[in-house]
Amino acid sequence: MAQETAPETLVRAGRAVIGGAERPASVRLRDGLVVAVGAYDAAAAGAEVVELADDEVLLPGLVDTHVHVNEPGRTDWEGFASATRAAAAGGVTTIVDMPLNSIPPTTTVAALDAKRAVAADQAWVDVGFWGGAVPGNVADLAPLDDAGVFGFKCFLLDSGVEEFPHLAPAELADAMAEVARIGSLMVVHAEDADEITECAHGAAYRGFLDSRPDAAEEQAIALVIDTARRTGARAHVVHLSASGAVPALRAARADGVDVSVETCPHYLHFDAATIADGATALKCCPPIRDATNRDALWRALVAGDIDLVVTDHSPCTVDLKRQETGDFADAWGGIASLQLGLPVVWTGARERGVPLAEVVRWMATAPARRVGLSGKGEIAVGADADLCVFAPDQEWVVDAAALHHKNPVTPYAGRTLTGTVRATWLRGRPVDLSGPPRGRLLGRGMRRGVAR
């Protein structure tokens, strides 16, 4: 008896971002993979045809390598079910979860196993995991690497949660030497505590901003560069806010130091002068700076000095934002934006004449390549058939209560954005948020992840 052939799908798009450029195309899908990329009018040859509308663009699924899911331990802040649903609704098909603010943090293999156990049955998109580097756990890094984490996150100052302490400079050097030995990646929250002053209580945003000056990032990034140079480790600086650090990063790379850097949608969208007193939904560390700095971040992105854009989705419960008092000293520092990253960045890019293909490079291709996610972040033969159907001209107003984030707290509430995600496909099939989740748990070195 002849074996039944798996059904194929042919997606026709008048506009598709493929190979770093936008063009008409047809994309053939089979068994969860892209098996052909051809002309728009390529023969269907028995495949089911899906034709995008004239106002839609076919993108690869986005890859967000900076997401705090917080489960287990702080699942009331966010969890794998709500986070991955939000990701899918925002065109994100792969996330990599940070090792904090879950309890326990992902600093041992046992903690990683616990996190994978709770994620396994409630992931609507694919999920990978970072390990954590904290004082005293250098011996845990190689076992975590063997278990498939994509690298290690550390802090150079108080992380905000007591169960994830920061590394002193000598501890950073020891951890990075081990990361170099095992061929992994060190991901660093780079702020220098010696440059930071205590934030005075009150509703004035300026007081919070002044407490965390540009110099705090610049000094810490200089330490990361120097340590990477001495140890030979690969390093990545997360959530760059201070544009003044860009020249040092550029020079280090020119000298052969393997260091990359990301920024986030909120640093590209907001500016300090327009943050109202008491607007604690906008508290994050490092802080949002002035418009001149924001524009410099955009220039660095376009020039290639900043490698990628990810959300640093760091949600919390409503009460922890202290909106009733507006006290920046007491409020939790973190911004919820996982579902909104693409339209936020595209809104700013479009205003500046930056093509959509560049946004795709920053938010899909570059994150996947930096962390070694083979087959993600691009529409190419052999890649996972992870797709995003995006309407780049459609304007809409953010309703926090309508988002899939667990808590309706986001500084984008009421903002008009341009571009909306109309569908997200995971391994060749549209994500159905009313059906069972189909996401897989990924590990470094696993080509297709662990099948559910």
Side-chain angles (χ1 to χ4, degrees):
M1 182 175 179
Q3 185 175 2
E4 184 177 352
T5 303
E8 295 189 354
T9 303
L10 188 75
V11 182
R12 296 193 196 277
R15 298 169 63 189
V17 174
I18 296 171
E22 189 176 306
R23 63 180 175 87
S26 65
V27 181
R28 196 175 190 93
L29 318 176
R30 183 178 66 240
D31 296 331
L33 303 178
V34 176
V35 295
V37 178
Y40 175 83
D41 57 357
E48 177 187 357
V49 176
V50 175
E51 191 150 352
L52 268 58
D54 290 343
D55 66 337
E56 296 174 340
V57 185
L58 186 66
L59 313 179
L62 302 190
V63 176
D64 194 334
T65 53
H66 196 150
V67 178
H68 294 268
V69 177
N70 307 327
E71 187 178 9
R74 291 191 174 95
T75 312
D76 55 336
W77 294 19
E78 193 71 279
F80 284 100
S82 53
T84 57
R85 288 170 65 93
V92 178
T93 50
T94 304
I95 66 170
V96 185
D97 170 64
M98 282 291 169
L100 72 164
N101 303 300
S102 58
I103 302 173
T106 317
T107 53
T108 65
V109 171
L112 174 64
D113 289 344
K115 184 170 282 191
R116 282 178 166 158
V118 298
D121 295 324
Q122 51 177 342
W124 265 266
V125 301
D126 288 352
V127 179
F129 302 91
W130 294 105
V134 296
N137 86 323
V138 169
D140 292 296
L141 303 187
L144 279 163
D145 181 67
D146 290 341
V149 298
F150 284 87
F152 299 93
K153 169 74 174 288
C154 71
F155 278 71
L156 301 185
L157 80 172
D158 183 2
S159 72
V161 292
E162 63 182 3
E163 68 274 2
F164 199 93
H166 69 281
L167 299 180
E171 294 168 327
L172 175 69
D174 289 344
M176 287 185 73
E178 177 68 354
V179 164
R181 185 187 74 81
I182 63 179
S184 189
L185 176 67
M186 182 64 87
V187 178
V188 187
H189 180 126
E191 288 184 283
D192 186 336
D194 290 340
E195 297 290 339
I196 292 174
T197 59
E198 185 174 355
C199 176
H201 286 279
Y205 180 72
R206 171 55 61 179
F208 171 64
L209 176 60
D210 289 346
S211 74
R212 302 182 91 99
D214 299 45
E217 286 187 84
E218 293 164 2
Q219 292 296 325
I221 289 170
L223 174 64
V224 173
I225 291 169
D226 179 64
T227 308
R229 180 181 284 113
R230 288 188 289 111
T231 62
R234 299 165 59 232
H236 177 75
V237 175
V238 296
H239 49 49
L240 180 70
S241 163
S243 62
V246 168
L249 289 160
R250 185 193 307 121
R253 286 191 276 210
D255 286 343
V257 179
D258 190 344
V259 59
S260 54
V261 62
E262 69 189 42
T263 193
C264 303
H266 41 277
Y267 299 128
L268 300 171
H269 186 82
F270 297 103
D271 71 90
T274 60
I275 298 177
D277 288 351
T280 53
L282 280 156
K283 180 180 177 180
C284 57
C285 300
I288 294 163
R289 306 190 189 278
D290 63 29
T292 299
N293 179 81
R294 178 191 62 193
D295 293 343
L297 291 176
W298 273 105
R299 289 194 298 273
L301 260 176
V302 171
D305 291 324
I306 296 176
D307 301 274
L308 52 101
V309 181
V310 288
T311 61
D312 185 13
H313 177 68
S314 186
C316 64
T317 54
V318 175
D319 61 301
L320 290 178
K321 273 300 186 180
R322 302 293 189 259
Q323 291 178 311
E324 72 285 355
T325 64
D327 191 335
F328 276 94
D330 282 344
W332 172 257
I335 288 180
S337 62
L338 180 55
Q339 188 171 335
L340 301 171
L342 176 57
V344 169
V345 176
W346 169 238
T347 297
R350 177 179 170 144
E351 290 171 354
R352 292 166 174 79
V354 177
L356 184 55
E358 282 291 274
V359 175
V360 169
R361 179 172 66 83
W362 302 332
M363 303 189 75
T365 312
R369 288 179 178 172
R370 185 54 173 162
V371 304
L373 272 164
S374 175
K376 300 289 189 182
E378 60 181 344
I379 298 173
V381 174
D384 289 346
D386 297 347
L387 306 171
C388 169
V389 179
F390 187 60
D393 301 322
Q394 183 175 341
E395 289 190 347
W396 60 290
V397 178
V398 177
D399 175 4
L403 301 176
H404 290 281
H405 305 159
K406 179 164 285 189
N407 293 284
V409 181
T410 179
Y412 299 101
R415 291 257 165 175
T416 299
L417 300 178
T418 303
T420 189
V421 174
R422 291 189 178 160
T424 300
W425 291 48
L426 183 67
R427 286 185 303 281
R429 292 163 51 196
V431 177
D432 178 6
L433 294 181
S434 65
R438 296 188 294 108
R440 294 179 178 177
L441 306 187
L442 306 176
R444 187 184 59 80
M446 297 179 188
R447 174 61 182 87
R448 298 294 169 201
V450 180
R452 288 176 34 76

